[in-house]
Amino acid sequence: QLQLVESGGGLVQPGGSLKLSCAASGFTLDNYAIAWFRQAPGNEREGVSCISRSGDNTIYANSVKGRFTISRDSAKNTVYLQMNNLKPEDTAVYYCAAGFYGLDPERFGSWGQGTQVTVSS
């Protein structure tokens, strides 16, 4: 069974930083592109970022470009999302997913349970 577990969410002030982690259970993350998605109440699920299997290629949504950084650590079988200069509109449940490179959720077959990120003063 392929399982992903997100962690690192929480409550932060606008302008603050948070680092999310996505750890694999039962499979090797190196075999998949890994993406982060987010969903706020009443909104559609939004692709945030994706990193290729090699880690050489990345994609960012325009809304987070320059503020978020995706990375992967093969030794720890973990993918990270470093979020800086957080804004209230970043508030959402963040999910990581394993699949094919891109930000199309239909191309990702394994999903984590999500971690809540709240940006508020």
Side-chain angles (χ1 to χ4, degrees), residues 2-62:
L2 307 182
Q3 279 196 290
L4 297 169
V5 179
E6 303 97 334
S7 62
L11 174 64
V12 296
Q13 300 283 341
S17 297
L18 206 59
K19 188 174 184 178
L20 305 183
S21 298
C22 174
S25 178
F27 68 104
T28 300
L29 284 185
D30 283 351
N31 294 328
Y32 304 89
I34 304 296
W36 288 94
F37 297 84
R38 66 186 182 186
Q39 188 166 21
N43 291 352
E44 292 289 309
R45 186 162 296 188
E46 174 189 18
V48 175
S49 184
C50 185
I51 187 166
S52 63
R53 291 176 60 188
S54 67
D56 292 335
N57 301 104
T58 56
I59 304 170
Y60 297 96
N62 288 335

Side-chain angles (χ1 to χ4, degrees), residues 12 24 34-35 56 58-59 71 78 84 88 93 113 115:
V12 296
I34 304 296
D56 292 335
T58 56
I59 304 170
S71 62
T78 301
N84 298 325
V93 177
Q113 83 290 347
T115 185

Side-chain angles (χ1 to χ4, degrees), residues 28-121:
T28 300
L29 284 185
D30 283 351
N31 294 328
Y32 304 89
I34 304 296
W36 288 94
F37 297 84
R38 66 186 182 186
Q39 188 166 21
N43 291 352
E44 292 289 309
R45 186 162 296 188
E46 174 189 18
V48 175
S49 184
C50 185
I51 187 166
S52 63
R53 291 176 60 188
S54 67
D56 292 335
N57 301 104
T58 56
I59 304 170
Y60 297 96
N62 288 335
S63 58
V64 307
K65 199 169 297 181
R67 300 188 297 120
F68 291 10
T69 303
I70 191 169
S71 62
R72 63 193 309 160
D73 186 333
S74 295
K76 296 181 179 180
N77 207 27
T78 301
V79 170
Y80 304 97
L81 185 68
Q82 177 67 51
M83 305 184 295
N84 298 325
N85 191 25
L86 284 161
K87 304 174 180 180
E89 51 262 44
D90 295 318
T91 296
V93 177
Y94 284 70
Y95 302 88
C96 66
F100 295 93
Y101 186 67
L103 292 179
D104 180 359
E106 293 299 315
R107 304 193 76 204
F108 293 83
S110 296
W111 292 76
Q113 83 290 347
T115 185
Q116 176 71 48
V117 172
T118 302
V119 185
S120 177
S121 58

